[in-house]
Amino acid sequence: MKSADDIFEILKKEFGDSILGIDKETPTEPIISVDPLQVYKVSKFLRENSDLQFDSLMCLSGVDDANGNKTNNADGDEIIEGGTFSVYYNLHSVSLKHKITIKVSTSRSEPKVESVENIWKSANWHEREAFDLLGIFFLNHPDLRRILMPYDWDEYTTEVSRHPLRKDYKNPEFYQGMKVPY
Amino acid sequence: MALKTEHMVLNMGPQHPSTHGVLRLELEIEGELVRKVTPHLGYLHRCFEKHAEAMQYNQVVPYTDRLDYLASISNNLGYALAVEKLMGIEVPERVEYIRVIMSELQRIASHLVAIGSNGADIGALTPFLYLFRDREHILSIIEETCGARMLYNYIWVGGLSHDIHPDFVRKTKEFCNYFKPTIVELDNLLSYNKIFIERTANIGVLPVDTAINFGASGPTLRGSGIKFDLRRDDPYSIYDRFDFEIPVGKGLMGTVGDCWDRYYVRIREMEQSLRIIEQAIDHIPDGDVQSAIPKRIKPPKGTVYKRVENPRGELGYFIVSDGSVNPFRVKVRAPSFVNLEVLGELCKGYLVADIIAILGSIDIVLGEVDR
Amino acid sequence: MGLLDKEFSDGNIVIAKVDDLFNWARLSSVWQLGFGLACCAIEMMATSMSHYDFDRFGVIPRNTPRQADAIIISGTVTLKMALRIKRLYEQMPEPKYIISMGSCANCGGPYWEHGYHVLKGIDRVIPVDVYVPGCPPRPEALLEGLLKLQEKIRNESLRKKSA
């Protein structure tokens, strides 16, 4: 069993600059920040290192940080420009019984994160969900399609109504002839 | 000249009596053998996460009811615990006891539907009728306290919506005494039924390492023989005070981790739930169940991930708070969502009719899969 | 019922209008499409199981739309599902009846405001005969809805369908 500080030290020693820092200000567990394009390597290490053995990914959540500038686009809709999306990985080791939260942040204009589907199979649908609802691209994902929304959602929507969990999402007026707002 | 052959694609659902709701499966079959299963979700995507962002913390509770509508109290509990952890609220003893008893009652009710529909899917309709009769007993006990039959909105952040009904303790004890012989009856009716065993034993075998890698939890994981239960391994509320066992699949009728094992784990779990209820029911302390409910729920900035053992597995709430009265982001790690993913692995090489048995043994609730 | 009142005294012969006969037959065996959507589906199942026994009103689930008389929309209809429901409805033979069960099917229910993927009322896609309110409606409420539907069928005429 290792504390978050120990895990951070181990990771820092192994990966250096790919590990961006540790946030201990949160009221619950500390969060380790990782480079979004290095997260595959780090995850593989977390899973395979004999001191860590994080064999289960409890949860993978995409979050719209909404920390960019609010501007209006050509149609007069308020949109957010700049800022970041984040993905949180909640890991747990069944054998060693320790937990850790990993966070990666990627830019809003080109949200790209490495997929960890290869390491934990349970990431597959979680990543598809984050792609569907937030539009985060997971590089090297084998099957990055929409999962909850209809496959043809893009055909009936505009830029602001593509990914519903974004903070600047606007409902489209119609989908396949059905009125969407109340 | 050899004939050209190709796999046939068979569509199952979203209107299908055995897919437990509106799940659509795309099967690639070679004769009767299934080569590939592609689940298509989202037919019940009710935008829970968007609603949670627009509501205040206490207003989210009724929506959590509607995630896993067979076990709403367990859903309430997970959400309440997550927000309480974020805010650092200690709830009174009385609340803890009532929460545990209620969620164990709910676990039994949920397993009754799971077992019943598993049987009904593969042709045994009689147990379904018996089990719904028993479920009505639990529903009426909970209804007296909460006022609803299915979606209770009972466990609030920091407390409960109502104190228990004066008859609650007596009726729960009566139910425990009534239900114990019923489990034996159920064993004779379904568990050791020759036809049922033929349909489920050695079908859909889930190996241990696959189960962990796919993140399976709950009876799906325990059916493969791992003693992993969050009530014991990551104790929350007051579960560490009670003495109970964790039933696991042993391969009594076939291979470890087959459909029958997953089914049987649920039966034995109901017995353990009764044990917990019996230990708790006589020791409910006095007190006010609403004393710890905060006037204004405004957690500090930060994130929290809290998980509880739902009847279907590990239910996790990941909440991001920005310090305002609305949650910034609520992500639900729904047990059915993760367990369903393993279906593609489980079904390879079995017959089309076995898909029904396998799906029933995983026991999904679409409200939770699609949220 | 009215049908058996006009029985001749020596038995075995009943005189009735064709309308009455058809309506009586239709309302006494409303075969519903075995089809659940969400939370309400569990209450629908509870209604057809031992405690409430839907069978006594002649309601039996049929799993194919081509042999069903009624469809109970039991739960939230999403945009993705609405198209499938429409197709199921079109496959059913006339006469066909629809019970909209629960607030979600009636008007979007608790998801009316932010439900970007929820259809706000099934009546935007297919015509509804009886609305049953509740979230979810109790089995008694669904039974009442069925009785209302039967009343509606009883007053139908062959020339003009009331629903």
Side-chain angles (χ1 to χ4, degrees), chain A residues 27-29 58 61-62 64 88 90 92 99 119 121-122 124 126 129 147-148 151 164 166-167, chain B residues 40-42 49-50 53 85 213-214 233-234 301 303 305 307 318 328-329 331 333 337 341 371:
Chain A
T28 53
E29 306 102 15
M58 296 188 287
S61 346
D64 179 359
Y88 291 81
N90 296 88
H92 174 236
K99 294 185 212 165
I119 302 166
K121 286 282 177 207
S122 53
N124 189 333
H126 282 300
E129 191 190 315
I147 185 167
L148 297 177
Y151 297 124
R166 289 191 178 184
K167 293 282 179 186
Chain B
H40 295 271
L41 321 176
E49 288 165 12
K50 191 82 181 171
E53 288 172 17
K85 189 175 168 192
N213 198 359
F214 273 89
D233 289 294
D234 192 0
K301 220 171 164 168
T303 65
Y305 180 76
R307 49 185 192 160
F318 179 76
F328 187 73
R329 171 90 164 94
K331 153 100 187 178
R333 186 257 195 228
F337 180 75
E341 205 178 335
R371 280 155 290 156

Side-chain angles (χ1 to χ4, degrees), chain B residues 54 141 224:
Chain B
I141 292 174
S224 299

Side-chain angles (χ1 to χ4, degrees), chain B residues 208-273:
Chain B
V208 174
D209 46 343
T210 317
I212 294 181
N213 198 359
F214 273 89
S217 53
T220 312
L221 177 67
R222 290 194 283 274
S224 299
I226 300 186
K227 266 202 172 139
F228 183 77
D229 188 317
L230 294 174
R231 288 175 292 174
R232 189 200 63 173
D233 289 294
D234 192 0
Y236 54 93
S237 196
I238 49 164
Y239 275 107
D240 46 355
R241 296 186 198 172
F242 303 114
D243 176 34
F244 63 98
E245 277 162 31
I246 300 169
V248 292
K250 296 198 180 81
L252 287 182
M253 296 296 158
T255 325
V256 176
D258 58 9
C259 288
W260 193 85
D261 271 353
R262 286 193 284 275
Y263 156 84
Y264 199 62
V265 163
R266 291 200 177 87
I267 303 252
R268 299 279 79 91
E269 257 179 36
M270 293 199 294
E271 285 180 350
Q272 299 305 323
S273 293

